[in-house]
Amino acid sequence: MIAWKHLRRTVISERVMILKLAGKDLIVMGAGIAGILAAIAAPRRGLDVLLVERNGSVGDLSTAGLCSPFIRFWLGNESFVSGIFKEVLYGLHRRGGLLRGSFDLEILKMIYLEKLKKAGVVLAFRSIPVKLISAGGFMKQISLLVPSVNLRSK
């Protein structure tokens, strides 16, 4: 899932390596609903985004924990939802994933991933930040601890 022009890796063991990355305008830590919405919004304002998630999926508690992010957001016929969250709700409804009092978590994950891909967000799953180098208030490089992958074919 990670493809950067400025990528250096240091293999620590058969199972772990450190990736050193540079060249992103914004790093969002965590692919829960707030991180996802921030990561989608930023490219719409011209930023190049890296979304770092320690687990292997998006949504955090809204998908893996089955905690609904859909608190009551309407009163009578009036909705109090706008922006990206409204787009997510519309996608769920369009695909039959918005259920009475609940939602289909797999459809929600698909919508999140599609929106992130369309926004051009780079995803780093199963990654833990271990070092950040900054200068003048700007990030210059981040090192992520990630599982090693043997790319050699058998």
Side-chain angles (χ1 to χ4, degrees):
M1 298 295 299
I2 301 174
W4 284 275
K5 294 174 188 169
H6 311 289
L7 174 72
R8 291 184 305 187
R9 74 179 180 171
T10 304
V11 177
I12 296 175
S13 73
E14 274 184 31
R15 302 179 75 104
V16 179
M17 66 180 166
I18 293 180
L19 297 178
K20 293 184 180 178
L21 316 161
K24 295 294 174 193
D25 298 319
L26 177 67
I27 298 172
V28 178
M29 305 306 266
I33 192 165
I36 290 168
L37 297 182
I40 293 169
R44 292 180 181 184
R45 288 158 181 78
L47 298 177
D48 193 14
V49 178
L50 165 65
L51 177 57
V52 177
E53 171 56 42
R54 67 181 172 165
N55 296 309
S57 185
V58 293
D60 197 38
L61 288 177
S62 67
T63 54
L66 296 175
C67 293
S68 178
F70 310 119
I71 59 172
R72 187 173 174 116
F73 51 84
W74 67 93
L75 185 58
N77 291 329
E78 187 178 1
S79 174
F80 300 107
V81 175
S82 63
I84 298 168
F85 190 62
K86 185 175 185 177
E87 295 171 26
V88 170
L89 286 174
Y90 177 74
L92 276 169
H93 176 72
R94 192 179 75 242
R95 292 184 179 184
L98 193 54
L99 312 172
R100 185 178 183 153
S102 188
F103 60 97
D104 183 305
L105 69 99
E106 294 302 326
I107 293 175
L108 182 58
K109 282 190 231 180
M110 287 181 358
I111 291 167
Y112 285 157
L113 289 169
E114 288 169 0
K115 292 191 122 352
L116 290 164
K117 181 178 180 180
K118 183 178 178 184
V121 175
V122 175
L123 300 169
F125 286 124
R126 301 191 193 290
S127 301
I128 300 170
V130 291
K131 185 176 183 181
L132 176 68
I133 298 173
S134 64
F138 293 96
M139 191 258 339
K140 296 297 181 189
Q141 179 178 293
I142 186 170
S143 295
L144 301 174
L145 188 63
V146 299
S148 278
V149 178
N150 184 353
L151 299 177
R152 288 185 246 156
S153 56
K154 294 183 179 186

